[in-house]
Amino acid sequence: TMYKYETEKPKLFTEEGQKCLFQVRDRVKDLLLVAGAVRFMEATNGCGSDDWLRLACLDWLVELGDIREVTRDVPGQHRVFVSTRL
C-alpha cells in the first residue's frame, strides 16, 4: 500500500499518535537548532515501527506551518525539512 496522509492523519489523535507526534516535534526542534535541516529518519528515530504514522507526524507539522519540505520525489526516509521560522 502507498502512504496517504489523509488516511493516516486520524492516527495522530490516538494516544500512540500523540506520543509520537510530541516526540517528533521536540526532536525536529532540537535538530533544526543544531543543523538547520532535518531528515525523516533522524526526526522520527525511536518513535515506534509504524512508518506511516511517523510520516504523518512530519506532514502534520508541515500542515501546521512549522516546517516545510525541501525535497521532492524522494523515498520517505530521505525527505528533508527546514523551519518556516527565521
Side-chain angles (χ1 to χ4, degrees):
T1 61
M2 296 289 293
Y3 168 74
K4 291 187 174 110
Y5 174 57
E6 290 303 322
T7 302
E8 301 302 318
K9 187 176 176 179
K11 290 183 185 177
L12 295 172
F13 305 104
T14 65
E15 185 175 344
E16 177 189 5
Q18 288 290 285
K19 287 179 184 176
C20 186
L21 181 60
F22 292 136
Q23 181 179 351
V24 168
R25 181 202 60 200
D26 293 346
R27 194 167 185 71
V28 164
K29 281 182 176 180
D30 291 344
L31 291 170
L32 286 174
L33 285 174
V34 171
V38 61
R39 194 171 58 153
F40 166 81
M41 291 297 289
E42 288 73 23
T44 63
N45 189 25
C47 185
S49 60
D50 185 341
D51 287 338
W52 292 163
L53 176 60
R54 293 165 51 198
L55 281 166
C57 288
L58 286 168
D59 285 335
W60 177 252
L61 295 175
V62 169
E63 185 176 330
L64 292 177
D66 291 343
I67 59 174
R68 67 180 174 87
E69 185 174 359
V70 294
T71 48
R72 295 286 178 249
D73 299 321
V74 298
Q77 70 269 27
H78 298 300
R79 293 172 68 190
V80 177
F81 302 86
V82 296
S83 176
T84 57
R85 311 196 192 309
L86 297 175

